[in-house]
């Protein structure tokens, strides 16, 4: 398939390379590597955050990936970037960092300065619950006014469901991140049966219009194990969505496809697929 290009050996390995997050300027790609020898904790480290810089814009060549290092990466826990803010200075990370990562898992924020990324600070979410901490995704809207998450809760429709939380009243939007006074978020609201299924619904990515939602699901049928879909939010309840549409056979395959993310310029989309993967692994 000529329209789907493997990012090559500077990014992809025979290990699982997953969850691409592209910086707003399109020049840094954050992603996760699983059980990779170069992880902070070596092959026994389930997942670390890595990043690659664009070296040639014309043919989209990516430089050799580097480990994001500590404090963002810990030796024994699955670390990952969920999203990066519009100004590129704030990252939403998976997990809560207290003496390493501790239960209950959720999200943290880190801020980038000249000296690197700050120690991640927990994101306070009312009535946070995830019955399957091994599986969690998140996405902070470009506007900072919505925090999407894929978690398994008692009030859900089955496996992982997509939820949204909002900034508590009279507080700065989530992108104005202050490590000393983190933004508080409302109790997660289920996006409802238009989006969620009895299967796993995960990998949310909200376009800059704040309405178009891309996500992955294994509960809607399609081309393979997990397909990528998109839907549009029809009002401000966040529970009223257009019928999700399958992205079709260029994006989806008989194998695993997920983590669809679009660059701010809207010209490139990145995803994870196990087709044509290095030694059959998941690649970006």
């Amino acid at each position: 398939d000529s329209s789907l290009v493997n990012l090559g050996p500077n990014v992809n390995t025979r290990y699982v390379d997953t969850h691409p997050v592209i910086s707003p300027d399109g020049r840094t790609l954050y992603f996760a590597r699983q059980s990779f020898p170069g992880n902070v904790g070596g092959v026994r480290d389930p997942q670390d955050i890595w990043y690659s810089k664009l070296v040639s814009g014309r043919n989209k060549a990516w430089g050799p990936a580097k480990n994001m290092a500590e404090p963002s990466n810990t030796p024994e826990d699955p670390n990952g970037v969920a999203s990066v803010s519009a100004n590129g200075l704030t990252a939403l990370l998976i997990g809560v960092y207290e003496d390493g990562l501790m239960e209950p898992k959720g999200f943290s924020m880190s801020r980038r300065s000249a000296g690197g990324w700050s120690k991640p600070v927990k994101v306070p979410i009312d009535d946070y619950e995830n019955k399957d901490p091994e599986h969690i995704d998140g996405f902070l809207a470009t506007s900072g006014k919505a925090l999407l998450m894929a978690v398994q809760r008692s009030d859900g429709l089955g496996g992982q469901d997509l939820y949204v939380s909002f900034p508590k009243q009279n507080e700065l939007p989530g992108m104005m991140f202050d490590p000393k006074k983190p933004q508080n978020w409302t109790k997660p609201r289920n996006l409802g049966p238009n989006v969620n299924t009895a299967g796993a619904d995960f990998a949310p990515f909200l376009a800059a219009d704040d309405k178009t939602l891309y996500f992955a699901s294994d509960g809607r049928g399609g081309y393979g194990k997990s397909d990528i879909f998109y839907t549009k939010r029809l009002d401000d309840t966040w529970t009223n969505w257009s019928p999700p549409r399958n992205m079709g056979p260029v994006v989806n395959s008989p194998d695993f496809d997920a983590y669809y993310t679009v660059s701010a310029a809207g010209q490139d989309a990145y995803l994870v697929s196990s087709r044509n993967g290095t030694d059959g692994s998941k690649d970006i």
Side-chain angles (χ1 to χ4, degrees):
D1 187 338
S2 61
S3 56
L4 191 75
V5 180
N6 187 300
L7 294 193
N10 281 350
V11 170
N12 291 314
T13 63
R14 61 189 180 87
Y15 298 83
V16 170
D17 303 287
T18 187
H19 209 314
V21 174
I22 188 80
S23 65
D25 65 6
R27 303 193 66 81
T28 306
L29 181 75
Y30 300 93
F31 62 100
R33 267 184 193 166
Q34 295 179 356
S35 305
F36 181 69
N39 284 358
V40 168
V43 290
R44 296 173 67 180
D45 187 338
Q47 183 172 290
D48 266 8
I49 302 162
W50 289 71
Y51 66 94
S52 172
K53 295 275 193 186
L54 194 66
V55 287
S56 162
R58 185 178 302 168
N59 55 3
K60 283 284 182 282
W62 294 92
K66 294 180 178 171
N67 187 294
M68 201 154 139
E70 298 184 82
S72 304
N73 286 325
T74 53
E76 290 153 23
D77 306 287
N79 309 113
V81 172
S83 58
V84 176
S85 66
N87 63 11
L89 295 179
T90 303
L92 178 70
L93 304 179
I94 291 161
V96 174
Y97 292 67
E98 288 158 4
D99 311 318
L101 289 187
M102 304 271 291
E103 299 290 357
K105 293 196 171 157
F107 299 98
S108 298
M109 290 272 208
S110 177
R111 195 171 177 89
R112 185 165 64 93
S113 63
W117 290 91
S118 67
K119 182 170 187 271
V121 175
K122 180 180 177 177
V123 174
I125 301 167
D126 285 0
D127 195 13
Y128 176 80
E129 176 194 10
N130 186 12
K131 295 197 288 189
D132 180 9
E134 294 293 304
H135 295 95
I136 177 172
D137 293 321
F139 186 79
L140 198 46
T142 310
S143 65
K145 291 177 182 167
L147 174 61
L148 289 156
M149 63 193 83
V151 290
Q152 191 172 342
R153 289 173 59 93
S154 309
D155 55 7
L157 302 179
Q160 260 182 306
D161 273 2
L162 297 176
Y163 288 82
V164 63
S165 288
F166 307 104
K168 295 287 269 292
Q169 295 302 321
N170 306 323
E171 294 195 33
L172 292 165
M175 288 310 177
M176 306 293 291
F177 172 59
D178 178 357
K180 296 184 180 65
K181 187 177 174 293
Q183 168 74 60
N184 284 281
W185 295 84
T186 60
K187 175 183 171 179
R189 178 184 299 175
N190 192 295
L191 297 192
N194 289 17
V195 171
N196 289 316
T197 66
D201 305 286
F202 61 104
F205 176 85
L206 190 67
D209 66 1
D210 244 10
K211 287 188 170 66
T212 309
L213 175 69
Y214 299 91
F215 67 100
S217 178
D218 65 14
R220 297 188 161 272
Y223 294 89
K225 293 174 189 165
S226 155
D227 274 14
I228 299 163
F229 296 82
Y230 70 98
T231 175
K232 289 226 177 205
R233 181 166 62 86
L234 302 176
D235 59 28
D236 288 339
T237 64
W238 289 78
T239 55
N240 194 9
W241 299 84
S242 66
R245 296 183 62 168
N246 191 295
M247 294 286 291
V250 170
V251 168
N252 291 314
S253 73
D255 244 311
F256 175 92
D257 305 285
Y259 296 105
Y260 188 88
T261 177
V262 186
S263 66
Q267 295 182 337
D268 300 294
Y270 300 84
L271 68 143
V272 173
S273 181
S274 40
R275 90 196 92 156
N276 308 330
T278 312
D279 289 356
S281 69
K282 291 175 187 167
D283 276 1
I284 298 165

